[in-house]
Amino acid sequence: FITIVTRDRVCCFGAVSGGRLVSNEAGRMVLATWEALPSRFPNVRTDTVVVMPNHVHGILWIDPVGVDRPLLLGTVVGAFKSTTTNEYAKGVKNRGWPPFRNALWQRNYFEHIIRTEKACTPIREYIANNPGQWHLDEENPSPAGQPPTNSVIP
């Protein structure tokens, strides 16, 4: 289970309205990049994911069988961050997306190893229900019930 947050928690991937996620073009690009990870890393499988206004929650499975050397989670996350940063920069240049300051993503990420299917179920539910809990989310830069002051919805 991984959480990746934008630098300064800037909301650049859409908004939440009435408990429902409204992704913008940048948010859809981030989702497509996540979903394409198995194409780049054949022993990676994606699971439940949500691209929130300023962060991504997702589950990745890495199969260690059939590889010459182990694939590190940091390699996958680094590739995801690099690809989305490059694509977002193209969006800034070609589509008028708002620019980011120094970096699109925070330096690190949160990870939690899921060891059983029983442990996975509540995490999947948490991810699926995340938009409805946005007003309570610690990643939400605005006070409860208020629109974020740093939202960007191109």
Side-chain angles (χ1 to χ4, degrees):
F1 170 53
I2 302 163
T3 300
I4 308 169
V5 182
T6 59
R7 182 179 176 126
D8 299 325
R9 292 184 167 83
V10 174
C11 296
C12 51
F13 304 135
V16 175
S17 178
R20 297 190 53 87
L21 184 60
V22 181
S23 295
N24 59 21
E25 190 177 7
R28 291 187 294 275
M29 174 275 296
V30 169
L31 179 61
T33 302
W34 180 271
E35 291 174 341
L37 285 171
S39 297
R40 183 166 182 179
F41 302 101
N43 56 328
V44 168
R45 186 170 47 94
T46 59
D47 198 304
T48 307
V49 63
V50 66
V51 178
M52 295 295 290
N54 65 358
H55 65 281
V56 176
H57 289 302
I59 298 172
L60 288 178
W61 301 101
I62 300 176
D63 184 0
V65 176
V67 294
D68 294 335
R69 57 186 173 153
L71 177 63
L72 302 175
L73 178 61
T75 302
V76 178
V77 172
F80 172 79
K81 285 181 167 185
S82 176
T83 301
T84 52
T85 297
N86 289 333
E87 289 302 311
Y88 192 95
K90 289 177 189 175
V92 170
K93 183 177 179 182
N94 301 322
R95 295 184 184 92
W97 296 357
F100 52 86
R101 186 174 64 86
N102 299 325
L104 181 60
W105 300 104
Q106 285 184 9
R107 187 169 165 260
N108 213 336
Y109 57 94
F110 169 83
E111 65 177 280
H112 170 76
I113 297 173
I114 302 169
R115 300 194 184 277
T116 66
E117 184 65 30
K118 183 178 178 182
C120 192
T121 299
I123 295 170
R124 285 183 178 128
E125 290 171 1
Y126 172 81
I127 292 170
N129 295 329
N130 206 246
Q133 301 298 314
W134 178 238
H135 63 286
L136 302 173
D137 197 314
E138 67 182 38
E139 303 304 341
N140 186 341
S142 67
Q146 300 298 312
T149 55
N150 64 351
S151 280
V152 176
I153 307 173

